[in-house]
Amino acid sequence: MKLLIMCLEFFKTGLLSVGGGLATLPFLFQMADKYPWFSRAELSDMIAVSESTPGPMGVNMATYAGYAAAGVPGAVLATFSLVLPSILVILLVSRFLRRFQDSNLVQRVLQGLRPASVGLIAAAGWGILKLALRWDGGAAPGMWISWKALGTGAMLAILYYFCGKKLHPICFVALGAAAGLVMGL
């Protein structure tokens, strides 16, 4: 029964998370609150692993979450359930979009999807920020923000702003990991 519920949840996530991998995060936060498959703290680890490994973040997240919940069968089913709606929608849309691509109605629908994507990604970014800086009460009592994490994030953002085109993104991931080891984030 757990695998069936997991398949349905990840199918729903794949169907409704318009905007890519980050748009899956609000759904994953909801799953963390609703099911015992993984916690919000584990979700922050999943985000770090998914961002650090090759491949689409949403798929990596589904694989990791499925594995955490039910081992290899969970990983396979969660991943398949997440990508299945995209495959079905792409097949359907590609068939009809060519026919109606000049339609004013189709253009308005596509324009309406853009702000929805931005909203989902913004919500995901806010959730990641709260997890990373421990604003959700995950820190020690009375410590609602991790100043070390805030400082590390600010320093990496500044470094990225000035050196982002010169350094490969893996350098920033490595610097973040090193800062976590050194400062005990």
Side-chain angles (χ1 to χ4, degrees):
M1 190 64 165
K2 177 166 83 169
L3 289 175
L4 178 63
I5 292 170
M6 185 184 313
C7 286
L8 292 173
E9 286 292 332
F10 279 102
F11 184 86
K12 177 180 75 173
T13 300
L15 184 64
L16 301 176
S17 59
V18 178
L22 289 175
T24 63
L25 292 179
F27 296 95
L28 291 170
F29 285 126
Q30 187 179 40
M31 279 187 234
D33 293 339
K34 190 173 180 181
Y35 300 106
W37 304 333
F38 52 88
S39 68
R40 281 185 173 243
E42 291 170 319
L43 183 56
S44 68
D45 293 339
M46 287 192 284
I47 292 166
V49 169
S50 295
E51 284 287 338
S52 305
T53 54
M57 188 181 127
V59 173
N60 291 348
M61 292 284 290
T63 304
Y64 192 105
Y67 185 81
V72 173
V76 171
L77 288 172
T79 304
F80 179 74
S81 297
L82 183 82
V83 300
L84 181 61
S86 296
I87 293 168
L88 297 175
V89 168
I90 287 169
L91 290 173
L92 183 67
V93 168
S94 68
R95 183 169 188 139
F96 294 104
L97 192 57
R98 287 197 194 275
R99 219 152 128 213
F100 299 107
Q101 67 187 7
D102 296 327
S103 164
N104 193 27
L105 178 65
V106 169
Q107 291 304 314
R108 287 192 304 217
V109 167
L110 292 174
Q111 285 175 340
L113 287 174
R114 290 181 196 131
S117 297
V118 170
L120 285 170
I121 292 169
W126 180 250
I128 292 170
L129 184 68
K130 285 178 18 179
L131 277 173
L133 301 180
R134 300 186 182 123
W135 284 346
D136 61 348
M143 291 279 303
W144 296 106
I145 187 168
S146 169
W147 295 105
K148 290 180 194 177
L150 182 64
T152 301
M155 294 292 280
L156 286 171
I158 291 167
L159 184 63
Y160 181 79
Y161 180 77
F162 288 109
C163 303
K165 293 183 179 176
K166 297 175 193 163
L167 296 174
H168 193 277
I170 195 69
C171 295
F172 297 98
V173 172
L175 285 171
L181 283 173
V182 171
M183 294 194 297
L185 294 174

